[in-house]
Amino acid sequence: MAGMNVVDRRRIGRLAAAAGLLVTLVALLLAPATPASAHAVLVSSSPQASAVVPSGPAEVVLTFSESVRKVPGKIRVIAPDGSRADRGEPTFEGGVVTLAVDPAGPRGTYLVSYRVISADSHPVSGAFTYSVGAPSTPPTDSGSDSRADPVVDTAMKVARSLGYVGLLLVVGPALVLAALWPRRLSRRGPARLAWAGLGLLAAATLAELWLQVPYTAGGGLFDVTGEGFGEVFGSSYGTAHLVRLGLLAAVAFLLRPLTAGPVGRTDALILALLGGAALFTWPLAGHPAASPAPAVSVVVDAVHLGGMAVWLGGLVMLAVFLLRRADERELGAILPVWSRWAALAVAALLLAGTVQGLVEVGSVPALVQTTYGRLLLAKIGLFALVIAVAAYSRALVRRRTAAQRPVPVRRAIWAELAITAIVLGVTSVLVQTPPARTVAATAADTTGGYYSSTLTSPIYSLQVELDPAERGNNTLHMYAYTTDNRPQPVAEWKATAALPSAGIEPIEIPLLALTDNHATGEINLPAAGEWQLRFTVRISEIDQATVTATVPIR
């Protein structure tokens, strides 16, 4: 009886460790990302932001850094009297959006608000003003709310993360059962793990399709319409997810005989081909499809994802089942084969990650000067640590001591899983961060310079953007976020600009609140130099904080 209690305690301990690692993995995958997550940026407009034109234009043209798609009813031009000045539906040609406008509208300041979907499936929103004749008090947009719901944003991250977990829980058992599982051992445990992974992956895919509607159009979890679903299903994002569901259904038919017993080489080959095809649905629905070299990016991202699933899925099978159940003779045959597979998977990860890094970073300075580049360096450092642990495990296998002493190997595998969970956490932040190439292109845009920074205080963080960061007229945008990166409603905004070196005292910047957490303003900076910008944000009757930034003006 006492022996049974010890065994039970050991099993509970192993399950707790596995559960803890899984929770850590998911938590890290959900690590808050920077507020700006889409690749597309508005690079120019006609009329230009803050411009004063002598007569009303017949159209407003928005030019983005990459192709965009429409969100129905989310591009509007508001006249000075609050009425709609746009006429008809906008036209989309790649990254250029054209919207017809009534040229006979009243004189004064017009507000242009937009929300579109970038080629990487992320929503892009913003607003700017222009004036006809002379500036006036900017109007407000009283149309339907198109702000991102933080609940939807979080739910989307959860769904994506669970999809990755489901993928490795399918690939690991399928691979080991097909090639490395001893005949004398029951397949019940791995079978349950594989079916749980397949169900998790299918549920995550369906959830992503549902959530993509409010995620791109704005609104809550249940703010979905038939038109919204039509837009999603008609996009490359929707097509990729529907194809994934079809492939998962086909995988299910072949997975059932595999979980019951050994299968023939033909069935195993078909299952591998279906799995490989499914891997391509992730890059086709995300950032790689919008890269400068989409064919290369899609292939290397699929290879990267496949290497991850093989490596982590196989490690889970070793740690949870094989190192506990297989005897010394079986481990002596299994571990050398697995060691070669792991080496190939790691090589694929390294090669694919290097190619993708070169595509997304673009230059050596961007590697250290951008958030994306620094995150990539952190990922490389952590991956090197994982490689060192894996090399230790491989050395044990080569010395043929792993089968006799599986405990050190088991500990090394758990260490690999733990460090790799952190690597995946960094990766989840990385894929939500604008690539270095995009940041560099924006900064070097022909309209001039560009300043962007995130300032922090104990009660909020403030993303500040100043364009073109040159002498003359400049447009200021401020986005307030809570300390955990949720939109922070603001009760009052204040901003000043000063140039002490030239004796220019603080100039108050007139601000317009566009949404609860987004305000904009216009200021003329008459001289070049290191301008001191000071921002005071009040979020309640008693809670406010001031942050400052030094902005170089050319």
Side-chain angles (χ1 to χ4, degrees):
M1 190 69 176
M4 288 296 293
N5 289 337
V6 171
V7 172
D8 290 341
R9 284 196 295 271
R10 288 178 177 173
R11 288 178 178 174
I12 292 173
R14 293 190 187 103
L15 290 174
L21 180 59
L22 187 60
V23 170
T24 301
L25 173 63
V26 175
L28 287 168
L29 284 168
L30 299 178
T34 53
S37 61
H39 287 185
V41 293
L42 181 67
V43 295
S44 65
S45 65
S46 177
Q48 293 184 355
S50 309
V52 179
V53 296
S55 59
E59 61 184 19
V60 170
V61 181
L62 309 177
T63 303
F64 294 88
S65 59
E66 64 180 38
S67 296
V68 294
R69 296 184 291 108
K70 74 173 182 178
V71 179
K74 299 299 182 180
I75 300 181
R76 298 184 285 266
V77 179
I78 309 301
D81 59 4
S83 62
R84 291 282 294 272
D86 51 288
R87 297 290 182 266
E89 290 293 320
T91 60
F92 287 72
E93 294 183 7
V96 179
V97 181
T98 304
L99 182 63
V101 177
D102 182 7
R107 296 167 64 86
T109 297
Y110 287 71
L111 173 66
V112 181
S113 65
Y114 60 88
R115 186 179 182 88
V116 295
I117 306 171
S118 67
D120 55 17
S121 77
H122 287 291
V124 181
S125 61
F128 65 89
T129 60
Y130 69 89
S131 301
V132 176
S136 64
T137 301
T140 58
D141 188 353
S142 59
S144 60
D145 189 2
S146 63
R147 289 172 294 171
D149 189 321
V151 175
V152 172
D153 186 60
T154 300
M156 180 65 83
K157 292 177 182 177
V158 170
R160 288 172 178 167
S161 302
L162 293 180
Y164 287 127
V165 173
L167 175 65
L168 69 91
L169 293 182
V170 174
V171 171
L175 184 65
V176 172
L177 288 175
L180 296 177
W181 193 255
R183 289 179 176 271
R184 70 176 186 84
L185 296 181
S186 171
R187 294 179 173 237
R188 181 175 301 176
R192 289 176 177 175
L193 193 64
W195 287 115
L198 190 66
L200 187 62
L201 182 51
T205 303
L206 290 171
E208 287 184 47
L209 281 171
W210 176 279
L211 292 168
Q212 185 69 6
V213 178
Y215 177 68
T216 54
L221 285 172
F222 301 102
D223 291 333
V224 296
T225 62
E227 184 180 12
F229 275 122
E231 291 289 335
V232 170
F233 290 153
S235 67
S236 58
Y237 180 93
T239 301
H241 281 69
L242 291 174
V243 169
R244 187 188 303 169
L245 288 173
L247 291 172
L248 292 179
V251 166
F253 282 104
L254 294 175
L255 190 61
R256 181 175 295 279
L258 179 62
T259 57
V263 296
R265 181 174 298 180
T266 301
D267 287 347
L269 179 60
I270 294 175
L271 186 60
L273 291 175
L274 291 174
L279 289 175
F280 280 88
T281 62
W282 271 272
L284 288 173
H287 298 164
S291 79
V296 174
S297 294
V298 166
V299 172
V300 299
D301 195 73
V303 171
H304 194 274
L305 188 61
M308 179 275 296
V310 169
W311 189 19
L312 291 185
L315 287 177
V316 169
M317 287 293 293
L318 282 175
V320 176
F321 297 110
L322 288 175
L323 290 176
R324 293 171 50 204
R325 297 184 182 180
D327 57 31
E328 181 179 327
R329 181 183 58 82
E330 292 165 339
L331 288 177
I334 292 171
L335 290 178
V337 177
W338 163 250
S339 181
R340 289 192 294 271
W341 287 0
L344 289 173
V346 170
L349 282 168
L350 284 172
L351 178 61
T354 300
V355 173
Q356 192 71 347
L358 291 173
V359 171
E360 299 294 357
V361 173
S363 67
V364 174
L367 194 62
V368 295
Q369 296 175 1
T370 64
T371 300
Y372 186 96
R374 290 189 290 270
L375 284 171
L376 185 60
L377 289 175
K379 180 180 177 181
I380 292 171
L382 288 167
F383 198 75
L385 184 58
V386 175
I387 295 299
V389 177
Y392 169 72
S393 300
R394 187 168 175 80
L396 291 177
V397 173
R398 284 179 172 176
R399 291 198 301 263
R400 299 191 178 278
T401 60
Q404 293 85 5
R405 295 189 297 115
V407 173
V409 179
R410 188 181 305 150
R411 290 173 179 171
I413 287 174
W414 282 112
E416 283 184 63
L417 287 171
I419 301 171
T420 308
I422 301 175
V423 173
L424 291 178
V426 174
T427 303
S428 71
V429 179
L430 196 66
V431 299
Q432 296 292 335
T433 302
R437 59 177 173 81
T438 302
V439 175
T442 302
D445 188 69
T446 56
T447 58
Y450 176 80
Y451 174 84
S452 178
S453 180
T454 299
L455 312 175
T456 59
S457 77
I459 59 175
Y460 66 81
S461 66
L462 188 69
Q463 182 179 332
V464 177
E465 299 174 359
L466 188 69
D467 187 25
E470 294 182 343
R471 287 182 299 171
N473 291 329
N474 282 263
T475 300
L476 174 69
H477 283 277
M478 298 177 295
Y479 303 83
Y481 295 87
T482 63
T483 54
D484 59 351
N485 278 338
R486 296 175 180 271
Q488 170 65 66
V490 174
E492 184 180 16
W493 305 83
K494 290 182 180 179
T496 62
L499 186 59
S501 62
I504 299 177
E505 297 297 322
I507 303 170
E508 185 171 349
I509 305 174
L511 299 176
L512 167 68
L514 297 178
T515 67
D516 286 348
N517 80 311
H518 178 196
T520 187
E522 304 295 327
I523 184 172
N524 185 288
L525 302 176
E530 301 289 322
W531 282 77
Q532 306 296 317
L533 270 60
R534 184 181 179 90
F535 307 95
T536 301
V537 176
R538 181 168 63 83
I539 61 176
S540 69
E541 291 296 328
I542 59 174
D543 295 315
Q544 73 174 36
T546 299
V547 292
T548 60
T550 300
V551 183
I553 300 299
R554 297 190 295 178

